[in-house]
Amino acid sequence: MGANNNGIGVGRAIVLIIVCTVTVFNIAGSIYLYHFLLTPWWIPALIFLPAAVATALPARGLWRWMTGSRNVAVNLVCHIVFAFPLLLCSALTINYATSGKHSTKEAVVVTRVYKETRYKTRRVSRKTYVRGAPYPVYFIEIRFRDGRSRDIEVLKKTYDRISKGDSVVVDVSKGKLGMTVFDGRNLQLPEGVKSRKKETYQERRRRMYREHADRILRRKNRNDNTD
């Protein structure tokens, strides 16, 4: 009898670990996919939260076994916490994966150009990892016509060509579930932006030095001509 209880306890613990892992994954996935969503965030939430609640009662027996509790409220809350991110992440994934077939171009304004320093992971032993060498990651922040802002990771060459206030074009489309998303991977820069190169600090210093030297030379030439 004791061995049987131990087996049930181990099985319950394994299932709970899997459930918690799937829940965390779905929450993270939903947050990530919400970044590309232009449909108001509350619309999919308003659809799938009631769906999660509606499936709570049929699944109460499974949660009673997993939690070891006969408290109906506890088991219902556990189910909703698991089912809502699962349904939401699945819907957002399907919608995003089926978007892009009939996309339109939308001009957006660049409101910020910035970079972040991240660090590689370096393995020092079999089970030990430490922070490795730093590397830059480049971003632009864009604002849509309705006022919503989104950040897009871009390549270094794109970062060098864009400044705050520029207008760029992104693809906007709807997925099979009717939610509107944008795609910043095919970022289109106006012709004027493509031909402009953003100066680095060293390049700006060299340009200012050359201009200063040119001014001194012109002043000297004027003085010589006057004499």
Side-chain angles (χ1 to χ4, degrees), residues 80-132:
I80 292 171
V81 170
F82 170 76
F84 176 53
L86 174 63
L87 294 174
L88 183 61
C89 185
S90 300
L92 293 176
T93 300
I94 293 171
N95 186 80
Y96 185 78
T98 56
S99 65
K101 292 183 179 179
H102 304 286
S103 61
T104 60
K105 307 294 183 182
E106 181 170 338
V108 295
V109 178
V110 177
T111 56
R112 187 185 176 199
V113 181
Y114 65 100
K115 64 180 178 179
E116 295 180 353
T117 300
R118 295 181 181 175
Y119 296 88
K120 298 178 180 179
T121 301
R122 182 166 57 90
R123 182 177 181 180
V124 295
S125 65
R126 184 176 181 180
K127 296 183 179 181
T128 304
Y129 293 84
V130 298
R131 189 169 73 173

Side-chain angles (χ1 to χ4, degrees), residues 4 14 43-44 49 68-69 86 99 115 127-128 139 143 171 186 203 208 211-212:
N4 187 41
I14 293 173
I43 292 180
L49 182 57
S69 172
L86 174 63
S99 65
K115 64 180 178 179
K127 296 183 179 181
T128 304
F139 297 91
R143 186 178 67 240
D171 291 334
N186 298 321
E203 290 171 339
M208 293 175 65
E211 291 175 352
H212 179 67

Side-chain angles (χ1 to χ4, degrees), residues 51-75:
V53 175
T55 57
L57 285 176
R60 65 186 182 276
L62 176 62
W63 288 101
R64 186 186 304 144
W65 175 82
M66 283 193 291
T67 61
S69 172
R70 290 186 172 273
N71 189 309
V72 176
V74 170
N75 292 324

Side-chain angles (χ1 to χ4, degrees), residues 39 42 52 55 79 84 89 94 105 110 123 139 143 148 152 154 170 180 197 207 221:
T39 297
W42 52 267
T55 57
H79 177 79
F84 176 53
C89 185
I94 293 171
K105 307 294 183 182
V110 177
R123 182 177 181 180
F139 297 91
R143 186 178 67 240
R148 278 174 292 186
I152 303 177
V154 296
V170 296
T180 305
K197 171 77 173 176
R207 177 178 57 79
N221 290 335

Side-chain angles (χ1 to χ4, degrees), residues 105 167-171 186-190 194:
K105 307 294 183 182
S167 178
V168 296
V169 177
V170 296
D171 291 334
N186 298 321
L187 194 68
Q188 297 181 16
L189 283 66
K194 289 183 179 180

